[in-house]
Amino acid sequence: MRQAIGVIDSGVGGLTVARELMRQLPNEQLIYLGDTKRCPYGPRSKEEVVAFTWQMVNHLLEKNIKLLVVACNTATAFTLEQLQQQLDIPVIGVIQPGARAAIKVSKNKRIGVIGTEGTISSEAYTKALHYIDKSIVVKGLACPAFVPMVEDGILEGEVAEETVKNSLHPLKVNNGIDTLILGCTHYPLIRHLIQKEMGLNIQVICSGEETAREVSLILAYQDLTYQGEEKPNHEFYSTGDLDKFERVANVWFEEPIQYLKPVIID
Amino acid sequence: MRQAIGVIDSGVGGLTVARELMRQLPNEQLIYLGDTKRCPYGPRSKEEVVAFTWQMVNHLLEKNIKLLVVACNTATAFTLEQLQQQLDIPVIGVIQPGARAAIKVSKNKRIGVIGTEGTISSEAYTKALHYIDKSIVVKGLACPAFVPMVEDGILEGEVAEETVKNSLHPLKVNNGIDTLILGCTHYPLIRHLIQKEMGLNIQVICSGEETAREVSLILAYQDLTYQGEEKPNHEFYSTGDLDKFERVANVWFEEPIQYLKPVIID
């Protein structure tokens, strides 16, 4: 029985990570679980995020996953360490891969991070960067307008451009960063606008791309890469409104998602 | 007693990998061993490469290293699997990180690889890419003129540009690659010439940068990242001519190498 990669998220944002996993690891099977009923996690207490995350994890463990991706910045900040300690399978979050990629490309060690208010105030990226190199200067900026805009499908046009311009303004003034981490799984959908606003001299890092890259390494390192000939049949589960989930997924993905099911966890 | 990262290479080429390790992991201590007396490994038999590599590995194991980097494409192709199976510490080669990075950035799944004749004819990069995705089209090209040129310090000027142009010509004709892996540790020194010749639409992947990135992940994954306050004291050992080693190192590194010693292994 082939084993899948489990992907959990507070809602739909983690679909950008799933999309990258499907692109970079086209033979691997995914089981995605989005807690759309209780999202967003950003404003919730640590206790709630931990409890909800464990419910999702336990649900996926029953499906015999071989590796878990926590495709949510808030859940990664609050639960990664305990999941890594307590589970027998590898657990990958979305924060550390972005941090390592930024260290790779930054020449001046001045790195910007944008994300939700929860992610930025948690300083999770700063901790991940300083875990490797304490001399790195980190400039964090919350961009609370981006998630609602992306979920409403506003990815182009004047409103989107103005929102990006106004939100990023504080990062453009006198900070000298040469690298910017998109510290929220929704932001890759407006990467083109962010890159345009910041200028081509700024290297933009997408956590989803980097997370998929690191999943690829850990699968190989643990000898878990699928080497059979069967095509994957991905499964997508949502705790809440399936219509919205499907609508967003069909805009974000190049092809419609194949198999979407409701799931009740509590 | 703090543990170092061990780096082995057939000679001086792996210094580009060491340089990236020092840049991306500035707190980590390195012990580098270059087999300059017996390099290059490219034209040697598999049996010889395996035997020489094990001699170097055993030498570094006595120094209680925590992770081993095989910073040589030929040695990676011939020994990585057995080293990973037989050693108790993590072992990272230079081929797989470049392959994973190429998969991350390539949009059209047509990937070029340049390297020594040994590396290209071993098809090690093709195997590493197809391990993950068999649909990738790989275009390999041996560039035997590059290593002697780089070791002679010819990194700029008309001769260097002509050599790069002539060597890369076969890759520029009708193959449609969008990504090029520098599959030799010497090539990052002429990356600027290669990028200029191939054009800015081609993404150039340096194995050294990608290897350091993956070392960073594996250290974190195994909880081996150095978290103390002591500055690293790197050690460099060479089985052969120290003068040449030092001369090359001082051109390649931004600051002179601190501690270079001869070593006899046989």
Side-chain angles (χ1 to χ4, degrees):
Chain A
M1 180 67 186
R2 81 182 281 183
Q3 288 183 287
I5 296 170
V7 183
I8 56 172
D9 181 47
S10 57
V12 293
L15 290 172
T16 61
V17 183
R19 190 182 56 179
E20 276 300 313
L21 288 164
M22 289 155 69
R23 191 179 70 79
Q24 293 183 41
L25 292 161
N27 299 327
E28 295 297 334
Q29 185 150 306
L30 303 189
I31 303 179
Y32 183 99
L33 172 52
D35 196 3
T36 43
K37 190 179 169 191
R38 301 182 293 197
C39 79
Y41 281 7
R44 291 188 183 273
S45 69
K46 180 173 177 179
E47 288 66 33
E48 272 184 318
V49 172
V50 169
F52 294 172
T53 302
W54 271 108
Q55 285 177 342
M56 287 202 286
V57 169
N58 287 328
H59 190 82
L60 289 191
L61 288 177
E62 284 172 24
K63 294 180 180 294
N64 192 29
I65 55 170
K66 62 182 176 182
L67 181 147
L68 175 69
V69 178
V70 184
C72 168
N73 282 275
T74 311
T76 297
F78 288 157
T79 69
L80 186 72
E81 210 169 315
Q82 57 173 275
L83 289 172
Q84 285 177 332
Q85 280 164 5
Q86 293 180 43
L87 298 190
D88 294 330
I89 56 172
V91 183
I92 315 273
V94 280
I95 291 174
Q96 293 75 11
R100 278 185 281 267
I103 287 174
K104 191 192 79 180
V105 301
S106 175
K107 291 193 169 66
N108 70 3
K109 296 194 178 192
R110 299 179 71 87
I111 295 172
V113 184
I114 54 176
T116 64
E117 283 174 338
T119 300
I120 298 304
S121 67
S122 77
E123 300 202 309
Y125 278 94
T126 307
K127 287 172 201 157
L129 290 161
H130 286 176
Y131 175 76
I132 298 167
D133 185 355
K134 290 192 178 58
S135 73
I136 292 169
V137 177
V138 187
K139 301 285 175 181
L141 177 68
C143 298
F146 288 0
V147 167
M149 186 175 86
V150 168
E151 292 212 353
D152 286 345
I154 303 169
L155 311 176
E156 299 287 352
E158 210 174 311
V159 170
E161 284 173 28
E162 274 299 306
T163 304
V164 168
K165 186 178 173 182
N166 293 336
S167 297
L168 295 181
H169 180 70
L171 258 193
K172 292 189 69 178
V173 189
N174 279 334
N175 64 54
I177 60 166
D178 69 354
T179 304
L180 177 64
I181 301 173
L182 307 189
C184 171
T185 52
H186 286 70
Y187 296 1
L189 279 298
I190 49 169
R191 175 186 190 157
H192 55 296
L193 302 178
I194 294 167
Q195 181 80 66
K196 194 175 157 197
E197 181 57 26
M198 294 304 292
L200 289 175
N201 289 333
I202 303 292
Q203 301 248 27
V204 172
I205 303 291
C206 285
S207 296
E209 285 179 14
E210 305 304 333
T211 301
R213 158 87 186 275
E214 297 206 349
V215 167
S216 183
L217 167 57
I218 296 300
L219 286 179
Y221 184 72
Q222 301 283 29
D223 208 8
L224 291 170
T225 311
Y226 181 70
Q227 293 293 307
E229 299 292 333
E230 271 179 57
K231 291 209 166 186
N233 286 305
H234 307 298
E235 295 174 21
F236 293 87
Y237 296 90
S238 167
T239 60
D241 184 353
L242 291 191
D243 285 346
K244 185 189 171 192
F245 189 96
E246 196 156 18
R247 209 166 54 240
V248 171
N250 288 346
V251 172
W252 291 11
F253 283 26
E254 273 158 33
E255 46 191 315
I257 61 173
Q258 298 160 333
Y259 185 84
L260 176 63
K261 264 197 179 168
V263 62
I264 295 163
I265 53 174
D266 46 30
Chain B
M1 183 64 189
R2 81 182 282 183
Q3 289 183 287
I5 295 170
V7 183
I8 55 171
D9 181 46
S10 57
V12 292
L15 289 172
T16 62
V17 182
R19 190 181 57 176
E20 275 299 313
L21 287 164
M22 289 156 66
R23 192 179 69 80
Q24 294 183 42
L25 291 162
N27 300 326
E28 296 296 335
Q29 186 152 304
L30 304 188
I31 303 177
Y32 183 100
L33 173 51
D35 196 4
T36 42
K37 191 178 167 191
R38 301 183 292 197
C39 79
Y41 281 7
R44 290 189 182 272
S45 70
K46 180 174 176 176
E47 288 65 32
E48 273 185 317
V49 172
V50 169
F52 294 172
T53 302
W54 271 108
Q55 286 176 342
M56 288 202 284
V57 169
N58 287 329
H59 190 81
L60 290 192
L61 288 177
E62 283 173 22
K63 295 182 178 292
N64 193 28
I65 54 170
K66 62 182 176 181
L67 182 146
L68 175 70
V69 178
V70 184
C72 167
N73 281 275
T74 312
T76 297
F78 288 157
T79 70
L80 185 72
E81 209 168 319
Q82 57 174 275
L83 290 172
Q84 285 178 332
Q85 279 165 6
Q86 292 180 43
L87 298 191
D88 294 330
I89 56 173
V91 184
I92 315 273
V94 281
I95 291 174
Q96 293 74 13
R100 276 185 282 268
I103 288 175
K104 191 192 80 179
V105 302
S106 174
K107 289 190 171 65
N108 71 4
K109 297 193 178 191
R110 297 179 73 88
I111 295 172
V113 185
I114 54 177
T116 63
E117 281 174 340
T119 300
I120 298 304
S121 67
S122 78
E123 299 203 311
Y125 278 95
T126 306
K127 287 172 200 157
L129 290 161
H130 286 176
Y131 175 75
I132 298 167
D133 184 355
K134 291 192 178 57
S135 73
I136 291 169
V137 177
V138 187
K139 300 283 175 182
L141 176 69
C143 298
F146 288 179
V147 167
M149 186 176 85
V150 168
E151 292 211 354
D152 285 344
I154 303 169
L155 312 176
E156 300 286 352
E158 209 174 313
V159 170
E161 284 172 27
E162 274 299 305
T163 304
V164 169
K165 187 178 173 181
N166 293 337
S167 297
L168 295 180
H169 180 72
L171 257 194
K172 290 189 70 178
V173 189
N174 278 334
N175 65 52
I177 61 166
D178 70 353
T179 304
L180 177 63
I181 301 173
L182 307 190
C184 171
T185 52
H186 286 70
Y187 296 1
L189 278 299
I190 49 168
R191 177 189 190 154
H192 54 295
L193 302 178
I194 295 167
Q195 181 79 67
K196 193 175 158 200
E197 181 57 26
M198 294 303 292
L200 289 175
N201 288 334
I202 303 292
Q203 302 249 24
V204 171
I205 303 292
C206 285
S207 296
E209 285 181 13
E210 305 304 333
T211 301
R213 158 87 186 275
E214 297 206 349
V215 168
S216 183
L217 167 56
I218 295 300
L219 286 179
Y221 185 71
Q222 300 285 27
D223 208 9
L224 291 170
T225 311
Y226 181 69
Q227 292 293 304
E229 300 291 334
E230 271 178 58
K231 292 208 168 188
N233 286 307
H234 307 299
E235 295 174 21
F236 294 87
Y237 296 90
S238 167
T239 58
D241 184 353
L242 290 193
D243 285 345
K244 185 188 172 193
F245 189 95
E246 195 155 19
R247 207 166 53 239
V248 172
N250 289 346
V251 172
W252 292 11
F253 283 25
E254 274 156 32
E255 46 192 317
I257 62 172
Q258 298 159 334
Y259 185 85
L260 176 64
K261 265 196 176 169
V263 63
I264 296 163
I265 52 176
D266 44 31

